[in-house]
């Protein structure tokens, strides 16, 4: 946490100070002390109504990263104990979890769930804002990245000369064709990912 924060916090603090000066220079009121303190301590994404009321709203995700840096050791300790099949299952679950924000509103027959205004203090609006900003709502992305690293380590390179080749990964003998296909995808996964983005 200390190492990562030291990389980002000085520039973040400078940006925050400049934002305060710019707002005061324009004759506009500053956010409340509580909102400013939450930004100073990088906790603005923890409470639903804080991210949209502060300065430098685009930096809200840094407060999520603080949580993930604190959780890194226990989470990665658990991920490192996963075998290949468990890792693939974890990747699938992390990928499936975001679909809840599609399935649940559809089940509730609420197609406009994501369009609630920040001034709206209804329970639905608070849930929507929590899903958009709270660290818990993005934890699966962080875990997904660790599972990808675990998947890569489970498919050890054959040799140093094999690095960069399409057959650089070997799998344990007891895995089936689906896992072997995933091993192949790891050799050109970036190209597949970019192709998917182009399709979208």
């Amino acid at each position: 946490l200390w190492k990562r924060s030291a990389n980002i916090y000085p520039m973040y603090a400078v940006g925050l100070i400049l934002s305060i000066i710019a707002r005061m220079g324009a004759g506009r009121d500053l956010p409340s002390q509580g909102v400013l303190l939450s930004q100073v301590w990088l906790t603005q994404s923890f409470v639903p109504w804080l991210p949209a009321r502060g300065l430098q709203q685009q930096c809200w995700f840094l407060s999520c990263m603080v949580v993930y840096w604190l959780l890194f050791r226990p989470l990665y300790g658990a991920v490192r104990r996963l075998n290949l099949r468990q890792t693939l299952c974890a990747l699938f679950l992390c990928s499936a979890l975001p679909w809840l924000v599609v399935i649940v509103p559809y089940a509730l027959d609420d197609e406009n769930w994501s369009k609630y205004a920040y001034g709206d203090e209804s329970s639905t609006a608070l849930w929507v804002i929590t899903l958009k900003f709270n660290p818990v709502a993005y934890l699966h992305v962080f875990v997904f990245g660790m599972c990808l690293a675990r998947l890569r380590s489970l498919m050890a390179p054959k040799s140093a000369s094999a690095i960069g080749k399409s057959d650089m990964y070997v799998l344990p003998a007891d895995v089936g064709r689906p896992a072997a296909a995933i091993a192949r995808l790891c050799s050109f996964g970036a190209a597949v990912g970019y192709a998917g983005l182009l399709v979208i």
Side-chain angles (χ1 to χ4, degrees):
L1 174 63
W2 179 261
K3 180 179 178 181
R4 298 294 185 184
S5 298
N7 288 335
I8 65 163
Y9 199 86
M11 289 305 298
Y12 171 74
V14 168
L16 198 58
I17 291 170
L18 291 175
S19 296
I20 291 172
I21 293 172
R23 180 169 282 204
M24 292 176 66
R28 298 171 59 196
D29 292 335
L30 291 176
S32 67
Q33 289 184 353
V35 173
L36 287 175
L37 283 175
S38 72
Q39 292 194 273
V40 168
W41 289 101
L42 285 175
T43 57
Q44 64 264 42
S45 66
F46 298 179
V47 182
W49 52 83
L50 290 180
R53 296 182 180 178
L55 304 171
Q56 287 192 308
Q57 295 177 12
Q58 72 278 9
C59 293
W60 66 270
F61 194 74
L62 294 178
S63 59
C64 293
M65 296 305 297
V66 170
V67 176
Y68 305 151
W69 294 334
L70 284 172
L71 293 177
F72 177 79
R73 180 172 293 197
L75 284 176
Y76 193 59
V79 169
R80 288 186 65 181
R81 291 192 289 270
L82 299 178
N83 60 32
L84 183 62
R85 288 189 176 87
Q86 290 169 337
T87 302
L88 293 174
C89 287
L91 286 168
F92 173 79
L93 288 174
C94 288
S95 300
L97 190 60
W99 283 96
L100 288 175
V101 300
V102 176
I103 296 169
V104 172
Y106 181 79
L108 297 175
D109 195 25
D110 187 2
E111 297 178 0
N112 297 318
W113 72 274
S114 64
K115 297 179 181 178
Y116 287 93
Y118 290 116
D120 186 352
E121 295 186 359
S122 67
S123 59
T124 304
L126 291 179
W127 275 111
V128 169
I129 296 169
T130 299
L131 279 174
K132 288 183 175 181
F133 295 111
N134 196 276
V136 175
Y138 298 91
L139 184 61
H140 66 284
V141 180
F142 194 69
V143 173
F144 189 90
M146 288 190 279
C147 289
L148 285 177
R150 177 60 178 158
L151 179 66
R152 193 175 180 94
S153 69
L154 287 169
M155 297 180 291
K158 293 178 179 178
S159 66
S161 62
I163 300 298
K165 295 182 180 179
S166 60
D167 61 343
M168 68 176 284
Y169 295 108
V170 289
L171 290 161
D174 62 336
V175 302
R177 289 182 179 178
I182 290 173
R184 289 286 184 181
L185 280 176
C186 286
S187 297
F188 50 89
V192 173
Y194 282 121
L197 287 175
L198 287 172
V199 169
I200 292 172

